[in-house]
Every structure is written in structure tokens, then in C-alpha cells.
């Protein structure tokens, strides 16, 4: 069976005019003035696929926008506004009020006003958000812009959303108080939107971690025609999951999705300025590896032994 990326490549990746960025990056991009571009992205959350039916509607409203703001962040664009398309099997006004309150809490926080949308009936709840953002053309962080020798950086930490999801699916058992803490990371992600909008002058390539660290870094290495080495021991782990089974941990860190933090590459000479910018915005950054002239993404332990997992990140059709 074809994976989601094969389907997109086969049917929806015809060439776009000069000056545009079409399918294949975190946002589509088109020029509006000589020096500026509009970046736009759409992401859909489907009941039963992306969220449990009993998910807190306030958090769901926030997440519907957050996953899109995360794509703007991955291009280095600052939000301008958004559209919301909702399909609902029935009208539950209490649910809608909470959903709207959550959505607006994030749209207010990042000055990304809701400008329009569409509301229809449907078999399950389906939420599509389109965001628009703006960036200087020269500060865009394209997936294709990584350079050999660049350091690879990551904001925030890894693992908690995957462990929370596995526990909620009943695939693993963890302590109840741990689950209460880490399900926040799954249900209420917090992409570093403002930090990212100022990062483009320092960084080269970027991607947001939505499907899993290795798979998402592979999007950068494929687009930039390079390889990467990741130092497993430098990966930032969510404090509440430290000490879990090491195999489960490896899967969570390397292949776990729903992170919505930013992975970016930059010339090592930019390191001090990157750390300073992150401090200014209260964002944690970790140097997790570097870009190589190879073709693979290799994960090493502290003794330089290769440990990359075979399990890939999430694909809707695999
Ligand atoms: P992300 O995880 O960053 O939101 P996706 O993995 O959903 O991105 O999509 C990968 C790329 O393919 C993006 O550039 C997206 O815009 C593009 N894409 C996905 N589905 C379609 C489609 N049906 N038509 C055109 N482009 C698409
Ligand atoms: Mg993305």
C-alpha cells in the first residue's frame, strides 16, 4: 500500500510557478512584495484518528490551531490570521462553547485572528484549520536549506506525547499521576511560535516534529540532499518519563509524534546567538547532532555505536 507521502507525490505535486513553494515543506509560500512572503498551511484533526471522542473540547480547540501555528513556526513565519472548517455530527452547544474558548485563547495569545471558515454536518467531528503567516523571504527556514556541518537543534523535549498516547490506548501501563502530567503534552502542545519567527536570520533549515524525530529529520535530509548524525544521549527527555523501559523510551524519543516542537539546523558559529534568543523567549534548546555529507539519519549512543530504531514515524496509510 502507498504511504501518505507517496500519494501526495503521485497526485498533488505538480510543479508550481517560480517564486512559490508548493507541496513538500511545512507551509506553502507565495511572494507578496519584493522582500516578503505569505506562508500558509492547513491541518485537519479527525475524531478517532487524531483525538479521542471524549477529549476536553477546550484543549481540542487549542490543539486545532496549535498544530497549524507549528507549521508557520517551522518556516519562521509570524501568524497573520486563520480560517476554521468544522464538520459536526450533532450540535452540542456546551462542547462548541468550550472548543471556541480554547481556540480563541491561542488565537488571542499569538494574534492570529479567526477570519472565516465553513461549518457543515458530517459523520464524525473533523476540524480543519488554515493559517496564514508572513516572513521575510531571506529569513524563511526551508527544509531544503540545511548545510553540511550545521548543528541540529531541538526546542522543548521529546517523548511525553507518545507515552501518554500509548497509555491512553491501553498499550502500556504507567502511574496515574505521571499520565495526568504528560497527557497535557499530547492534548495541549505549545509550539515556540514567537521564538521561531525570529530564528530565521540565524538558522538554515527547520521542521516541526509532528510525525517523529527521525522521520521528520529525514524530510530535511532528503530535501537538502545530506545526512545527519543524532546523539541519542543529548536528546531532551520530558522529566516525568525518565526511567521508563529503555526500549519504550527509544521508540518515544526517536519515533513518537505529536511533539510540535521545532527541529532546526544552523551554522555552529550561530550557537551563542541561538541560545541567547531562546533564553529571551523562555524556550529551551538542545544541540542534538549535526548535518553530514551522507544520506542517512544515524543515531549514535555515547560510545558512537549506531542505535537507530527501525520503526518509522506516523504515516496515515501505512
Ligand atoms: P505537515 O506534517 O508539516 O503538516 P504533511 O505531512 O501533512 O505536512 O504534508 C506534507 C506536504 O505535502 C506539505 O507540504 C503539504 O502541504 C503537502 N500536501 C499534503 N496533502 C496534500 C494534498 N492533498 N494536495 C497538495 N499538497 C498536499
Ligand atoms: Mg510540519
Amino acid at each position: 500500500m502507498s504511504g501518505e507521502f507517496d500519494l501526495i507525490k503521485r497526485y498533488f505535486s505538480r510543479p508550481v510557478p517560480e517564486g512559490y513553494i508548493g507541496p513538500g515543506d511545512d507551509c506553502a509560500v507565495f511572494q507578496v512584495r519584493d522582500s516578503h512572503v505569505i506562508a500558509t498551511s492547513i491541518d485537519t484533526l479527525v475524531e478517532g484518528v487524531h483525538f479521542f471522542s471524549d477529549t476536553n473540547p477546550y484543549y481540542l480547540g487549542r490543539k486545532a490551531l496549535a498544530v497549524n501555528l507549528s507549521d508557520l513556526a517551522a518556516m519562521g513565519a509570524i501568524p497573520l490570521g486563520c480560517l476554521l472548517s468544522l464538520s459536526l455530527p450533532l450540535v452540542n452547544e456546551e462542547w462548541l462553547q468550550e472548543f471556541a474558548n480554547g481556540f480563541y485563547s491561542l488565537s488571542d495569545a499569538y494574534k492570529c485572528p479567526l477570519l472565516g471558515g465553513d461549518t457543515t454536518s458530517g459523520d464524525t467531528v473533523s476540524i480543519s484549520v488554515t493559517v496564514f503567516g508572513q516572513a521575510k523571504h531571506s529569513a524563511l527556514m526551508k527544509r531544503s536549506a540545511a548545510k553540511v556541518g550545521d548543528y541540529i537543534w531541538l526546542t522543548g523535549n521529546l517523548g511525553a506525547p507518545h507515552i501518554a498516547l500509548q497509555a491512553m490506548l491501553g498499550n502500556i501501563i504507567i502511574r496515574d499521576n505521571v499520565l495526568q502530567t504528560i497527557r497535557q503534552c499530547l492534548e495541549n502542545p505549545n509550539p515556540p511560535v514567537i521564538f521561531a519567527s525570529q530564528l530565521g536570520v540565524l538558522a538554515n533549515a527547520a521542521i516541526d516534529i509532528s510525525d517523529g524525530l527521525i522521520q521528520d529529520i529525514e524530510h530535511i535530509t532528503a530535501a537538502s540532499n545530506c545526512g545527519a548524525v543524532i546523539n541519542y544521549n543529548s536528546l531532551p527527555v520530558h522529566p516525568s518519563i525518565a526511567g521508563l523501559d529503555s526500549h519504550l523510551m527509544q521508540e518515544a524519543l526517536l519515533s513518537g509524534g505529536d511533539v510540535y516542537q521545532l527541529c532546526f539546523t544552523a551554522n555552529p558559529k550561530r550557537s551563542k546567538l541561538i541560545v541567547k534568543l531562546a533564553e529571551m523567549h523562555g524556550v529551551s534548546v538542545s544541540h542534538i547532532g549535526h548535518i553530514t555529507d551522507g544520506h542517512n539519519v544515524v543515531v549514535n549512543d555515547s560510545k558512537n555505536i549506531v542505535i537507530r530504531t527501525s520503526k518509522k514515524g506516523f504515516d496515515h496509510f501505512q
Side-chain angles (χ1 to χ4, degrees), residues 25-27 41 43 67-68 70-72 74 143 206-211 216 219 260:
D25 215 312
D26 291 291
C27 287
S41 182
D43 258 311
V67 300
N68 281 277
S70 181
D71 278 324
L72 286 182
R143 291 181 181 179
I207 189 166
D208 63 318
I209 306 301
S210 53
D211 297 330
D216 286 325
H219 288 309
Y260 301 106

Side-chain angles (χ1 to χ4, degrees), residues 179-190:
L179 179 57
Q180 290 319 318
T181 309
I182 63 176
R183 69 183 283 178
Q184 285 280 323
C185 302
L186 177 69
E187 295 179 342
N188 190 16
N190 184 22

